Amino acid sequence: YTPVTYEDTLNKQNNYQTLKAVALVGSESPLDELEEVRLDNPDNLISLVASNKQPFIVSSLADENRYIPVHADTQSLAMVPLVFSNQLVGMIILEDDRPNAFGYEVLQLLLAMSGSLSAVVQSAQLREELQKSNQQLMELDRLKSDFLANMSHELRTPLNSIIGFSRVMLKGIDGPLTEMQEQDLTTIYNSGQHLLYLINEILDQAKIAAEKLDLKFGYFEIKPVVEGVKSIGIGLVKDKNLDLNVELANNLPKAYGDEFRTRQILLNLVSNAAKFTHQGGITIRVYPVTNAHGKTMIKIDVIDTGIGISEKDLPLIFQPFRQVDSSLTRTQGGTGLGLPIAKSLTELQGGEMTASSVEHRGSIFSITVPTEPTVDIPQEDKPQMLAVPKTGPLVDNKEPATKSMPVAKVEKTDTKPNRETTTTEVTAIRATTPMPKVMQTKRQIVLIEDNKDMVDQFRRALQREGFEVVVADHPAYAEAMVSNLRPTLIIMDVNFADGQGWQVLKSLKDRDDTFDIPVIVVTLNSDSQRAYQLGAHTFIQRPYMPDDLIKAVLKAEQESNTERILIIDDDPASIRLLTQLLNQNGAYRVFYAENGTDGISMVARRRPDLIILDLRMPGKDGFAVLEELRSNPETVNIPVIVVTVNST
Ligand code: ADP
């Protein structure tokens, strides 16, 4: 028998223990037919012996009714509690079909045995518990990593707004700022960036722990990476009067790994060196080496003359969340995640990271980067990873399956330590302007007019300007014609067809597929207010000057040709931010949809020239939207920029 505890979760006072049979020898009875015995039952002999923790012999069961034997013909029994450190860990019960079967010697023997048996049972029980709590710990660790990854992800979305909008305001897009406002906003912006940096570190660490960090492998030149790190490093040491030198060996081979992550590793080492060095300088040395397997590697040493790390602390610095001197780090900031992440990233690329240091003299942190593929990349990922062009870490213009539709991806927030996230966004968007306008050459005007003389007059003037003029002289088909042709602009008379022109104008402005085509109203009617209310672009009263008409036509043409951009994003703040940035960078007509389904129908109705798409949306997400756009020949050519916090 072994003890089992039953917990009453509502009322801990009601917890109770039982003894449960775990092994039965010399009997055919099934084990589970033996009832569990509550340890607080005074009418049960097993319970009584267990509480006394002393062996007990029953010479004749005829006189004992507090025990129900396994075998009906049992005459005598011996009960030996197994006790370890004064704790009951089990009980052995022996039955015999003869009376007086257990004498003093048997009891002695059982007692002697019970000592070691108790220890064995106890350690078996402990091992079981240990295994159980190990499993619980592993589960907890997984939950923690998942939580960190999700949380960091969720935090990046609002943070994107904080950084983005403060940047927008700092750039003066929302109007001029007072000096105080500028100072406050700069603090908000910098704090946002700092927070982002920390969140990204936690996200990276969680991804590494969960083995979910994807690297983008490819060949790249190490020199520009090191030089980029140097220019940021100079900013970090400029107030400290430290030197920052780069020594590059000649004829360095190309590196093979993840360029962006390599930059991240080096930035971490250089910013640590800058943090912990107060005099002297920092040197970044880059040279080829041959590793133990005869492979050429690029070695990068980051050497500083700083405070150094003691021999006892050196092995600890690669442990997550570990900081050598928390008092020092508190003044310097940091999460203690930088080095463990940098080391993991180096190893994931197939390289190694080492550190050596002498206290008060300085430290050398070194990494190696392969020059050819070493890490096993899953087969299906290979072509995709190798195909990533070297356009920098943020914009990876992955060539989609359908060649004709360019898809650029801009991550909303960058990973450590980039202090120009929002700038990058703006640059990425700028990079797409001016966009090639597919239908640029079409210059078509639908003329809604039933007066033959007027039609001739307009036609002559407009054709001189190079426009193609199509006439709709009946309200029954004016609307359909505009919808089919989608002309550059419309010229119409509201008095047309005995005043039915008003209704035509209203319908054109109500329809999704025609509402944004500029309408120039040329009429004898004087109700310009009504025309503008209905959405007319220009109102010209007859008789008119031909020059005025041409001027209005050219202006409307220009507006008609501004690119339509559709933003599909479920986060209203994101939409607002993107709209502001777009308006800042050119004249666009910006539409938006707050979910994938609306987005798709908006694409059909508005025929945008460009789509800016978020990936993570409830319901139909960005991936589904992309798939649908690609499978439809009408939308396959519309370029899409993915702007997302999702890094998939
Ligand atoms: P943190 O983000 O807190 O700096 P790291 O993992 O990058 O975390 O570094 C862990 C600790 O290692 C630091 O807190 C510091 O004590 C020590 N350390 C790292 N680099 C250096 C260096 N170049 N010189 C001295 N100490 C260093």
Side-chain angles (χ1 to χ4, degrees), residues 177-187:
L177 299 173
T178 66
E179 204 172 310
M180 283 272 269
Q181 285 169 335
E182 192 170 329
Q183 266 176 22
D184 294 351
L185 277 171
T186 306
T187 309

Side-chain angles (χ1 to χ4, degrees), residues 272 275-276 304 309 317 322-324 329 334-336 338-340 363:
N272 273 349
K275 233 196 281 189
F276 298 107
D304 69 53
I309 302 158
I317 56 173
R322 185 72 86 147
Q323 293 170 326
V324 171
T329 314
T335 52
L339 284 176
S363 313

Side-chain angles (χ1 to χ4, degrees), residues 494-509:
V494 282
N495 284 348
F496 158 76
D498 300 326
Q500 288 187 60
W502 288 112
Q503 185 50 48
V504 173
L505 175 60
K506 186 172 182 306
S507 307
L508 288 174
K509 289 296 161 190

Side-chain angles (χ1 to χ4, degrees), residues 226-430:
V226 172
E227 274 164 2
V229 171
K230 181 188 174 186
S231 65
I232 295 180
I234 287 173
L236 297 177
V237 299
K238 74 171 187 296
D239 296 334
K240 287 181 134 184
N241 207 14
L242 297 175
D243 295 330
L244 179 61
N245 301 309
V246 170
E247 296 172 9
L248 281 164
N250 291 328
N251 300 329
L252 276 171
K254 276 196 175 162
Y256 183 84
D258 184 320
E259 178 175 354
F260 176 56
R261 294 299 186 176
T262 304
R263 177 172 173 267
Q264 177 182 349
I265 298 165
L266 288 178
L267 268 176
N268 179 269
L269 297 183
V270 170
S271 62
N272 273 349
K275 233 196 281 189
F276 298 107
T277 305
H278 308 299
Q279 58 193 21
I282 301 165
T283 305
I284 309 173
R285 190 171 288 156
V286 191
Y287 51 100
V289 290
T290 307
N291 73 3
H293 307 289
K295 301 265 186 230
T296 305
M297 307 284 277
I298 296 175
K299 190 162 185 193
I300 308 171
D301 299 331
V302 177
I303 306 159
D304 69 53
T305 55
I307 62 169
I309 302 158
S310 72
E311 216 171 303
K312 103 176 151 18
D313 288 334
L314 201 56
L316 304 180
I317 56 173
F318 293 115
Q319 292 177 7
F321 304 105
R322 185 72 86 147
Q323 293 170 326
V324 171
D325 177 354
S326 47
S327 63
L328 178 68
T329 314
R330 218 164 289 142
T331 61
Q332 301 288 351
T335 52
L337 284 176
L339 284 176
I341 291 172
K343 187 166 193 281
S344 302
L345 290 176
T346 309
E347 287 164 2
L348 284 172
Q349 294 191 81
E352 273 177 24
M353 175 180 277
T354 51
S356 62
S357 186
V358 178
E359 245 183 315
H360 313 300
R361 297 279 292 280
S363 313
I364 305 178
F365 285 85
S366 306
I367 62 160
T368 55
V369 187
T371 55
E372 56 190 274
T374 52
V375 189
D376 264 345
I377 303 167
Q379 206 58 41
E380 77 254 38
D381 289 354
K382 251 182 195 163
Q384 179 205 324
M385 289 180 163
L386 293 173
V388 175
K390 297 277 119 1
T391 47
L394 274 169
V395 186
D396 70 46
N397 287 294
K398 248 177 243 163
E399 192 78 346
T402 315
K403 273 247 162 155
S404 48
M405 186 179 74
V407 174
K409 187 181 137 192
V410 184
E411 281 199 38
K412 272 180 190 164
T413 45
D414 186 13
T415 348
K416 163 182 185 172
N418 184 322
R419 309 209 178 270
E420 331 100 332
T421 310
T422 324
T423 332
T424 320
E425 270 176 63
V426 180
T427 322
I429 291 164
R430 264 200 200 126

Side-chain angles (χ1 to χ4, degrees), residues 129-195:
E129 271 171 37
L130 210 64
Q131 265 170 357
K132 227 193 269 168
S133 42
N134 254 346
Q135 258 166 3
Q136 283 171 342
L137 276 178
M138 268 155 62
E139 175 66 9
L140 270 179
D141 193 52
R142 199 186 55 76
L143 284 175
K144 181 210 70 187
S145 294
D146 282 0
F147 171 78
L148 282 181
N150 287 337
M151 213 47 219
S152 321
H153 215 132
E154 293 304 320
L155 287 172
R156 292 213 293 182
T157 305
L159 202 49
N160 196 57
S161 291
I162 295 175
I163 294 170
F165 280 114
S166 51
R167 177 89 182 166
V168 160
M169 293 172 84
L170 277 171
K171 287 179 84 185
I173 295 174
D174 290 346
L177 299 173
T178 66
E179 204 172 310
M180 283 272 269
Q181 285 169 335
E182 192 170 329
Q183 266 176 22
D184 294 351
L185 277 171
T186 306
T187 309
I188 294 175
Y189 177 77
N190 288 339
S191 306
Q193 288 286 14
H194 184 64
L195 201 53

Side-chain angles (χ1 to χ4, degrees), residues 5-211:
T5 304
Y6 287 92
E7 285 185 12
D8 182 336
T9 44
L10 285 178
N11 183 2
K12 292 271 186 262
Q13 310 260 297
N14 292 343
N15 287 357
Y16 65 92
Q17 267 201 322
T18 65
L19 276 177
K20 184 182 177 197
V22 285
L24 182 63
V25 184
S27 164
E28 300 290 294
S29 306
L31 195 58
D32 53 14
E33 270 181 19
L34 296 186
E35 268 181 39
E36 282 181 46
V37 181
R38 268 183 80 134
L39 279 175
D40 53 3
N41 181 356
D43 299 329
N44 187 301
L45 194 61
I46 298 178
S47 168
L48 284 173
V49 174
S51 331
N52 289 337
K53 298 186 191 123
Q54 294 294 330
F56 191 75
I57 288 177
V58 179
S59 310
S60 163
L61 206 58
D63 310 327
E64 179 59 76
N65 57 7
R66 292 172 301 176
Y67 181 82
I68 302 159
V70 179
H71 264 267
D73 46 5
T74 298
Q75 297 285 333
S76 58
L77 53 129
M79 307 168 103
V80 186
L82 302 177
V83 179
F84 192 84
S85 318
N86 208 28
Q87 286 282 319
L88 182 79
V89 295
M91 168 125 61
I92 301 173
I93 299 175
L94 294 139
E95 296 184 353
D96 203 303
D97 54 5
R98 297 160 300 170
N100 292 313
F102 304 102
Y104 178 74
E105 276 151 44
V106 177
L107 192 65
Q108 283 302 317
L109 193 71
L110 283 172
L111 270 176
M113 262 175 59
S114 78
S116 35
L117 209 57
S118 304
V120 170
V121 170
Q122 168 76 0
S123 78
Q125 284 176 352
L126 277 180
R127 201 173 325 131
E128 215 169 87
E129 271 171 37
L130 210 64
Q131 265 170 357
K132 227 193 269 168
S133 42
N134 254 346
Q135 258 166 3
Q136 283 171 342
L137 276 178
M138 268 155 62
E139 175 66 9
L140 270 179
D141 193 52
R142 199 186 55 76
L143 284 175
K144 181 210 70 187
S145 294
D146 282 0
F147 171 78
L148 282 181
N150 287 337
M151 213 47 219
S152 321
H153 215 132
E154 293 304 320
L155 287 172
R156 292 213 293 182
T157 305
L159 202 49
N160 196 57
S161 291
I162 295 175
I163 294 170
F165 280 114
S166 51
R167 177 89 182 166
V168 160
M169 293 172 84
L170 277 171
K171 287 179 84 185
I173 295 174
D174 290 346
L177 299 173
T178 66
E179 204 172 310
M180 283 272 269
Q181 285 169 335
E182 192 170 329
Q183 266 176 22
D184 294 351
L185 277 171
T186 306
T187 309
I188 294 175
Y189 177 77
N190 288 339
S191 306
Q193 288 286 14
H194 184 64
L195 201 53
L196 178 62
Y197 170 100
L198 298 179
I199 289 170
N200 283 335
E201 271 201 338
I202 294 173
L203 182 62
D204 275 356
Q205 177 58 32
K207 276 192 187 160
I208 289 170
E211 293 176 7

